[in-house]
Amino acid sequence: MTVYADILTETHGRVGLVRLNRPQAMNALRANLLAELLDALRTFDADDEIGAMIITGNEKAFSAGADIKEMADASAVELMNRGLSDGWHRISTIHKPIIAAVSGFALGGGCELALLCDMIIASESARFGQPEITIGVIPGAGGTQRLTRVLGKALAMEMVLNNRFLKADEALAHGLVNRVVPVEDYLDEALKLAGEIAARAPVAVRLGKEAVNRAYELSLAEGLAAEQRAFYLLFSTEDQKEGMRAFVEKRAPEWKGK
Ligand code: CAA
């Protein structure tokens, strides 16, 4: 497995785990960390032995956002040429499900990274926020769009314009996270969920993720048409035949990912 400077990678059965690993900087997302994260996610995405992934930080910080020290003196053009927004976009092109296991601070780009994931398991200490306004900017990795779609305009405005943090229970109440568990359990809970999904029919999981994500991009009619095509496509897989045969024969299916 590749040795990285800013992240650690592990596998747990069919789950690929990425730990953001700059604890001295609250896991600030410097360019190198983002490049390594993308490389690790792509490697897991291409590996048939992996069915789902987790991104996590440590108990105190999932991530405190983009590296302020790295970007403080950059010009607009330098920032644009660094291609960071391409990196963020590429994370959203990963096919397999990604779960964010969040404890402590998920701020700025850290909150946006969690939002880029498909599901979020939060510890009771998780805090979500977009504090960019306090340093004279706004979210730059999707926060104004993805938060607004999940939380609605009123709360997103308060977070973006006035640094309103969401505690874990508020995030749960507003549908930002899947569940909240005690701090000592959040990674195990994420591993359990990822493990269950990784054991399911791989092609159906991929197309299911794609179809749900399309709900954010397309009109209802276009989204429904895309869903129908994906549904029909699954009838060309061996796993569909196996899944339905196993149901009729009252046995567990054996997935091939074909
Ligand atoms: N960038 C760079 N360094 C950071 C950082 C960041 N985003 N967040 C924390 N650090 C560093 C601190 O500078 C400090 O380093 P030193 O020990 O060298 O001084 C170290 O991490 C520990 O941080 P604190 O001493 O501040 O720890 P704390 O417990 O007192 O506070 C915190 C924690 C509330 C998360 C605070 O660090 C903080 O407010 N961080 C910045 C959060 C922020 O503004 N994020 C938005 C970034 S911009 C962005 O993300 C744009 C985008 O949309 C892509």
Side-chain angles (χ1 to χ4, degrees):
M1 219 174 250
T2 315
V3 176
Y4 297 104
D6 291 344
I7 62 171
L8 299 169
T9 58
E10 300 159 27
T11 57
H12 295 249
R14 285 180 51 76
V15 177
L17 172 65
V18 181
R19 294 178 193 265
L20 310 182
N21 191 34
R22 297 186 70 209
Q24 72 290 356
M26 295 276 164
N27 289 331
L29 304 165
R30 63 176 172 186
N32 184 67
L33 186 153
L34 275 174
E36 291 185 355
L37 173 62
L38 185 61
D39 186 70
L41 295 176
R42 282 182 159 173
T43 304
F44 284 141
D45 211 25
D47 183 347
D48 287 344
E49 302 302 314
I50 296 294
M53 302 165 218
I54 296 174
I55 302 176
T56 195
N58 55 53
E59 265 185 32
K60 191 160 182 214
F62 176 71
S63 168
D67 193 313
I68 299 170
K69 293 166 190 167
E70 189 181 62
M71 68 185 169
D73 296 321
S75 71
V77 174
E78 276 164 6
L79 215 52
M80 194 170 71
N81 287 343
R82 281 181 201 171
L84 283 188
S85 52
D86 296 343
W88 289 101
H89 173 70
R90 287 192 193 112
I91 293 175
S92 68
T93 66
I94 297 292
H95 299 299
K96 291 172 188 164
I98 310 175
I99 296 170
V102 176
S103 185
F105 296 112
L107 303 181
C111 183
E112 291 165 298
L113 176 60
L115 282 166
L116 264 172
C117 295
D118 302 302
M119 284 163 271
I120 303 176
I121 300 294
S123 89
E124 284 165 349
S125 77
R127 298 283 177 277
F128 297 87
Q130 298 289 161
E132 287 89 344
I133 197 74
T134 67
I135 52 171
V137 290
I138 64 169
T144 64
Q145 304 305 299
R146 291 198 175 92
L147 269 183
T148 307
R149 279 167 164 77
V150 180
L151 303 174
K153 180 174 165 180
L155 198 47
M157 282 290 188
E158 214 180 324
M159 290 178 75
V160 172
L161 303 187
N162 203 28
N163 194 25
R164 158 89 137 90
F165 277 26
L166 285 190
K167 292 184 189 155
D169 56 345
E170 293 176 293
L172 182 66
H174 289 283
L176 185 70
V177 308
N178 291 70
R179 58 192 77 122
V180 178
V181 295
V183 177
E184 56 274 21
D185 296 333
Y186 76 100
L187 188 53
D188 285 344
E189 188 69 21
L191 282 165
K192 182 168 171 281
L193 177 61
E196 286 169 6
I197 294 170
R200 298 197 182 277
V203 187
V205 167
R206 173 177 171 160
L207 295 184
K209 165 172 170 163
E210 206 176 291
V212 173
N213 278 331
R214 290 209 166 179
Y216 289 98
E217 312 281 345
L218 303 176
S219 69
L220 180 60
E222 290 167 317
L224 290 171
E227 180 194 82
Q228 279 303 299
R229 284 193 293 275
F231 180 73
Y232 296 143
L233 181 62
L234 285 166
F235 282 74
S236 69
T237 64
E238 290 179 30
D239 284 348
Q240 174 268 323
K241 301 287 176 271
E242 165 66 6
M244 295 193 180
R245 207 178 299 127
F247 174 82
V248 174
E249 293 169 6
K250 299 187 189 298
R251 61 174 174 82
E254 283 181 36
W255 307 124
K256 291 189 179 151
K258 291 197 257 183

